[in-house]
Structure formats: structure tokens, C-alpha cells
Amino acid sequence: MSTPLERCHLVDLPKISDPRGNLTFIEGGRHIPFDIQRVYYLYDVPGGSERGGHAHKGLHQLIVAMSGSFDVILDDGTAKRRFHLNRSYYGLYVCPMIWRELDNFSSGSVCMVLASNRYDEDDYYRDYDQFLAAALPAPRSQP
Ligand code: TYD
């Protein structure tokens, strides 16, 4: 069985190349494994700042660098992986129960997130230790 971190992956999005300007589209349930209920984006991020130290209990997300570049660090409590996003024709699929941080923003970058549900504060882990307690099975007590 794959780990939550192994279920996260880069998604190549369709790209219609055109000398007038390229076009990319995303259909929920087709290009990404969830229906899109919400879109939000980070912009005017000062170069060098960090965002998004939290995890979600049930939310599926696709993160796309619509402009500029930034890094996404994913952590399932057991292992970590850093992705550098810098193109608007691919995105990073993030499954539930992943602690997620964003850093290394270039100036003028725009981070768009497609999400499987509306905003719900109850879906967040904002405390890393609480996330770990939920993500990792409790050690079995010695007999
Ligand atoms: P948050 O998800 O905590 O972002 P970060 O971890 O990068 O700081 O969101 C920041 C604030 O925006 C928080 O008060 C919740 C609010 N928010 C919404 O109201 N709706 C949304 O869809 C999102 C993503 C955030």
C-alpha cells in the first residue's frame, strides 16, 4: 500500500500551444482525482516569505505556479519531499493528511490551489504535533 507522500505527484496538464499564447485547462475528476469545489490563490507574496504550515484531514488539492516559482515541501509524518513549481502547465496533487509548507517564492509569483471542498477550519491541523499524533499510528504498549 502506498504512503500518503507517495500518493502526491506532479500532474502534467493539457497544453494547447499557440503562437497567440498557450492555453491550459483542468477538468475535475479527469485531470485531477477530485471535483473542484474551491479555487484560491496566493499573490503579492514578498520574495523569500513562507506560507502554509498546516495539514488537511480530508482535503484534496492541486497546487499550480500560475506565474513565477516557489517550492512546496510535503511531509506525511514519516518522510518529506520538496517540489519546485515553476510552470503553469503542471501542478502538484496533494492528498489528505500531508503537512504542507511553501517557501522560496520568486517575486511576482502566483500560487493557485484547486481544492476538493469549501473552506472549513475544522479540516485543518495547524499544530504539527497534533498532525503527527493523527498521522502516525500510536506505538503498541509493551506487554
Ligand atoms: P491559511 O489556509 O491559514 O493560509 P496560510 O497557512 O498560508 O497562512 O489561510 C489564511 C487565512 O485565510 C485564514 O484566516 C483562513 C482564510 N481562508 C479563507 O477564509 N478561505 C480559504 O479558502 C482559505 C484558503 C483561507
Side-chain angles (χ1 to χ4, degrees), residues 49-69:
S49 71
E50 297 175 6
R51 298 279 321 211
H54 61 245
H56 286 282
K57 299 172 186 173
L59 194 73
H60 299 253
Q61 302 165 86
L62 185 84
I63 305 175
V64 181
M66 297 302 282
S67 181
S69 66

Side-chain angles (χ1 to χ4, degrees), residues 111-140:
C111 168
M112 181 184 73
V113 182
L114 308 182
S116 63
N117 279 305
R118 293 184 175 193
Y119 175 74
D120 175 9
E121 186 59 36
D122 289 342
D123 187 61
Y124 279 76
Y125 288 107
R126 294 195 181 272
D127 179 88
Y128 187 70
D129 290 335
Q130 284 179 9
F131 162 69
L132 277 188
L136 302 179
R140 276 198 261 166

Side-chain angles (χ1 to χ4, degrees), residues 40-53 63-73 82-86 100-113:
Y40 68 91
Y41 31 94
L42 302 170
Y43 54 99
D44 292 346
V45 181
S49 71
E50 297 175 6
R51 298 279 321 211
I63 305 175
V64 181
M66 297 302 282
S67 181
S69 66
F70 50 84
D71 289 359
V72 185
I73 306 104
R82 178 180 286 268
F83 294 84
H84 183 63
L85 299 186
N86 62 356
R100 186 200 81 173
E101 288 170 8
L102 298 105
D103 67 12
N104 202 21
F105 284 91
S106 68
S107 63
S109 56
V110 178
C111 168
M112 181 184 73
V113 182

